[in-house]
Structures are given as structure tokens and as C-alpha cells.
Amino acid sequence: MNKIIDTLINLCRWPVALIILWSLPALIKSYRYFNFNAPHYYFLGVGIVFFWVIAFTAGRDIRIQIQTIAHELTHTLFAFLTLHFIRRIRLNPDGSGGSMAFSGQGNWLITLAPYFFPLFAAFYMLIMPWLLAATENHWLVYAVFGYFIAYYWETVLSQVHREQTDIIKEGYLFSAIIIIGLNLFANGVLFAFCSRLWSGVEQYTALIWRLNAEQWQQLQNLIGV
């Protein structure tokens, strides 16, 4: 079954990239719709600032080790979601990186997922509504979310570079389109979730759809169709 899934995902490689390219203006424009003056965004900012304070004071080896774990776990998650059997996950004892192995050929989603998917923030989103209902300290719940968002930013910024083997494997052009576009979308989803939880995510995806439709209409008007 994973062979069929891999084939389909890899066949959709450039169609997906073209859709992302088309959606870039809508993704950028969508950030204008967020009310970043709302209190929950201030709480989010507290967590973001706290992360950067910790990041600049913590040992570099510890940061790299945690990033490596998250990196390999993200590969593993997407391999699992595309029905691959996970053979192993290994961290190099010298802290130089890690690796994971799975059955089957694999696909570009597995390869590039660590560079656009906010692993810890995504799992926190699953329990965040319950945490908000269970405590009156909402500021703390949002601050922790901000901490995970900042961790995601720092991980992507530190791991995306020209020598990154995953990016070389998938090609610089394709990787750039996927990483830039899906990071814009992922951040929009995180901000929307911070605003109205899952209903905010639904509204955000509807907004992207509407902005893309408006862009298509503008193009039709321009060419006189």
C-alpha cells in the first residue's frame, strides 16, 4: 500500500508546488487579517520571548540534540502517516545528527516535513482546548504555545541551508517552494488557532480559498475572459 501512496504523492510533486506558488500572494495577504493587538497574542509573545531567552542561554549541544530528536520524529510521523513500517530511529552519540529508516521508497513529504511542520506546536494544539477549559490561567496556556511556536521557528531557521541533505535530495527549487509556502501556511494556521482555536483554523483556510478565488477572478478580468 505504501508503494501506491508514495507513487501518488511523488506524482503530485510539481502540481502541489505550482498550487503553492499560485497561493503565495494569498498566504502573504492573509496575515493582514490577524488582530495581533488582541490579548492572547501578547501572551503568545511572552512565550516567544521566553524561548529566545532560554535559547541564547542554554548550551548549544542541548539545543541541537532536541532539534535532532524533533527532526527525526517528524520524518517518522510522516512516514507513519503514509503507511510505512518504521525500522529504526537513531541519534548519533557525538551529537552530529541522527537518522531513521522505514520500509518502502518514501516520498517528498517524508523528506521535507521537518522543514515546515511544527511538530511540538501541532501536538500541543490537540490538548490546548482542554487546557483552556481546565484552568483559569489562560495566559500561561498561550505562553506555552508561543514557546513551541518559537521553537519551530528556530528549528527551521537553523536546519534550512544549502548543505542540508534532504533539501539537496529533493532539489533546491522544489524544496524552496515547498518550505516557503508551507511555512507561511503553517504560521497562519498557528496564529489562527491562537485566535479562535479550531474554528479559527477553519476560518483561516476559508480565507485562503477566498483570496485565491479573488486572485483568479482578477486574472480573468485582466486577460478579458
Side-chain angles (χ1 to χ4, degrees):
M1 186 64 181
N2 60 53
K3 291 182 180 179
I4 297 174
I5 294 173
D6 288 340
T7 300
L8 290 174
I9 291 175
N10 288 327
L11 282 174
C12 293
R13 174 187 179 90
W14 282 107
V16 169
L18 291 174
I19 290 171
I20 291 174
L21 269 178
W22 170 262
S23 300
L24 284 178
L27 290 167
I28 295 170
K29 192 182 298 183
S30 69
Y31 284 76
R32 302 176 187 173
Y33 290 80
F34 291 108
N35 178 20
F36 290 113
N37 288 322
H40 41 266
Y41 287 115
Y42 293 139
F43 303 147
L44 200 76
V46 170
I48 291 171
V49 171
F50 181 71
F51 170 82
W52 288 110
V53 170
I54 296 297
F56 284 118
T57 56
R60 182 175 179 275
D61 291 343
I62 296 175
R63 288 167 53 203
I64 292 176
Q65 196 79 355
I66 296 174
Q67 286 177 3
T68 301
I69 293 171
H71 184 100
E72 300 306 331
L73 286 177
T74 307
H75 281 312
T76 302
L77 173 63
F78 277 76
F80 175 77
L81 291 175
T82 51
L83 303 184
H84 293 79
F85 176 76
I86 309 303
R87 298 190 182 279
R88 74 168 190 276
I89 304 174
R90 184 172 66 87
L91 299 180
N92 297 339
D94 60 359
S96 60
S99 63
M100 57 85 62
F102 53 86
S103 61
Q105 171 188 353
N107 56 71
W108 60 264
L109 266 179
I110 298 174
T111 305
L112 296 180
Y115 311 101
F116 65 78
F117 185 73
L119 181 69
F120 295 148
F123 279 109
Y124 187 72
M125 288 166 67
L126 299 177
I127 64 170
M128 189 168 159
W130 177 83
L131 292 174
L132 289 171
T135 180
E136 295 182 357
N137 296 322
H138 289 184
W139 69 270
L140 181 59
V141 177
Y142 282 105
V144 172
F145 191 41
Y147 183 92
F148 287 134
I149 290 174
Y151 173 82
Y152 149 62
W153 291 345
E154 200 261 350
T155 300
V156 171
L157 290 172
S158 65
Q159 295 188 352
V160 174
H161 51 80
R162 290 182 60 86
E163 289 75 32
Q164 182 59 255
T165 54
D166 292 329
I167 293 174
I168 293 172
K169 176 183 176 182
E170 297 300 335
Y172 289 124
L173 178 60
F174 177 76
S175 297
I177 295 170
I178 295 298
I179 292 171
I180 292 171
L182 292 187
N183 270 289
L184 284 171
F185 179 72
N187 277 287
V189 167
L190 294 172
F191 291 142
F193 186 84
C194 180
S195 176
R196 295 186 179 88
L197 301 180
W198 291 111
S199 64
V201 175
E202 183 180 352
Q203 292 170 19
Y204 179 71
T205 53
L207 172 65
I208 298 299
W209 180 271
R210 178 170 63 82
L211 292 174
N212 270 327
E214 290 176 358
Q215 184 174 299
W216 177 251
Q217 186 62 50
Q218 289 170 0
L219 178 61
Q220 288 181 314
N221 293 338
L222 183 65
I223 62 178
V225 175

